[in-house]
């Protein structure tokens, strides 16, 4: 039996997030046993205080949600988040340079990987699969693996489509076993979450974690 709560990163990344949302997010993570919470950079310090000594990974985002920030900006943002207590960084890769056929995504991700690993932090890379063909997803996975990232993630949740089982399977087939997969974007039901885990997802990013776990426990 899959313990779905151990896969879930309960997420609040809406533009109108307020402090009460962060308090509620962490409270739910403690109550339902989620592996982590994902919060906007602005709220990392607050989330860190709320988590205290609980065994919950604190995740935040860099270059979010479009990824076309300068690499120097992403590096600086990552450094600041680590200083404030983030355990894991979810960076939106440079989709724009990838689409332009440049080698820049690998250079950027290698820099961020080294920065995170030097500080014993985890780097996850958001591909935004809604904008990629199957061939491009395979290329993206190869770039991420070569750059030394820890996880590859499907989506920001801001694109027209989120996580799909066929994309997770494709990613799993084209990533080494040492690189995990985070499914995110539009995951609202237990059925969806279980399907994605069976397809190869190691993490589930969702704002519907409470509903998913309650359904699993019925």
């Amino acid at each position: 039996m899959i313990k779905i709560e151990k896969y879930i990163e309960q997420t609040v990344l809406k533009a109108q997030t307020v402090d009460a949302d962060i308090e509620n997010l962490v409270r739910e993570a403690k109550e339902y046993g989620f592996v982590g919470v994902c919060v906007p950079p602005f709220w990392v310090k607050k989330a860190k205080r709320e988590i205290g000594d609980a065994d919950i990974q604190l995740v935040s985002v860099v270059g979010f949600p479009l990824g076309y920030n300068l690499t120097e900006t992403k590096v600086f943002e990552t450094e600041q988040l680590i200083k404030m207590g983030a355990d894991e960084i979810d960076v939106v890769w440079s989709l724009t340079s990838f689409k332009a056929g440049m080698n820049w995504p690998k250079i950027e991700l290698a820099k961020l990987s080294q920065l995170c690993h030097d500080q014993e932090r985890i780097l996850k890379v958001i591909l935004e699969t809604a904008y990629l063909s199957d061939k491009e997803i395979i290329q993206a996975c190869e770039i991420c693996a070569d750059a030394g990232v820890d996880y590859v993630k499907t989506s920001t949740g801001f694109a027209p489509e989120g996580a799909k089982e066929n994309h997770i399977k494709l990613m799993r087939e084209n990533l080494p076993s040492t690189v995990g997969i985070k499914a995110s974007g539009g995951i609202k039901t237990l059925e969806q979450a279980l399907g994605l885990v069976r397809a190869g997802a190691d993490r589930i990013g969702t704002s519907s974690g409470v509903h998913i776990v309650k359904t699993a426990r019925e």
Side-chain angles (χ1 to χ4, degrees):
M1 181 66 183
I2 293 171
K3 281 202 156 193
I4 197 65
E5 62 270 24
K6 295 302 176 190
Y7 289 81
I8 290 176
E9 288 178 27
Q10 181 76 336
T11 302
V12 171
L13 291 171
K14 60 186 179 182
Q16 64 273 38
T17 300
V18 295
D19 50 353
D21 294 318
I22 303 302
E23 291 163 13
N24 189 53
L25 180 77
V26 176
R27 187 167 58 248
E28 289 173 347
K30 290 176 179 177
E31 184 178 346
Y32 291 93
F34 300 137
V35 69
V37 293
C38 186
V39 304
F42 184 83
W43 291 109
V44 165
K45 274 188 180 177
K46 165 90 172 161
K48 186 69 175 176
R49 288 196 301 270
E50 296 293 326
I51 289 169
D53 59 2
D55 186 19
I56 297 168
Q57 294 296 103
L58 176 52
V59 186
S60 193
V61 291
V62 164
F64 196 86
L66 298 174
Y68 51 27
N69 317 55
L70 295 172
T71 297
E72 292 84 352
T73 306
K74 290 180 179 177
V75 166
F76 180 76
E77 196 171 11
T78 300
E79 288 171 342
Q80 297 309 303
L81 291 175
I82 290 172
K83 281 179 190 172
M84 290 190 290
D87 300 301
E88 303 186 5
I89 304 297
D90 286 17
V91 64
V92 184
W93 78 323
S94 183
L95 179 64
T96 188
S97 62
F98 174 73
K99 287 285 190 179
M102 300 166 73
N103 193 42
W104 194 252
K106 189 185 292 186
I107 296 167
E108 178 175 279
L109 294 178
K111 287 182 179 181
L112 292 170
S113 289
Q114 182 161 6
L115 172 59
C116 287
H117 297 156
D118 284 349
Q119 300 291 328
E120 297 183 337
R121 300 305 199 275
I122 296 290
L123 179 67
K124 306 205 280 301
V125 178
I126 306 171
L127 299 182
E128 205 68 281
T129 48
Y131 301 137
L132 302 175
S133 66
D134 284 3
K135 183 181 177 184
E136 287 174 323
I137 289 172
I138 293 169
Q139 287 177 304
C141 286
E142 290 169 353
I143 288 167
C144 288
D146 288 348
V149 314
D150 300 291
Y151 287 80
V152 181
K153 177 178 171 182
T154 58
S155 322
T156 58
F158 285 69
E161 292 178 332
K164 291 182 167 184
E165 285 184 32
N166 61 311
H167 287 161
I168 298 293
K169 286 175 184 170
L170 188 64
M171 291 160 72
R172 187 67 280 159
E173 288 165 5
N174 290 280
L175 285 168
S177 59
T178 50
V179 180
I181 296 172
K182 179 176 172 182
S184 59
I187 305 168
K188 299 185 183 304
T189 68
L190 176 63
E191 186 181 19
Q192 274 179 295
L194 290 174
L196 291 162
V197 169
R198 291 186 186 113
D202 303 285
R203 294 278 188 92
I204 300 290
T206 179
S207 55
S208 302
V210 172
H211 169 70
I212 289 169
V213 172
K214 278 184 174 177
T215 305
R217 291 177 180 176
E218 283 174 358

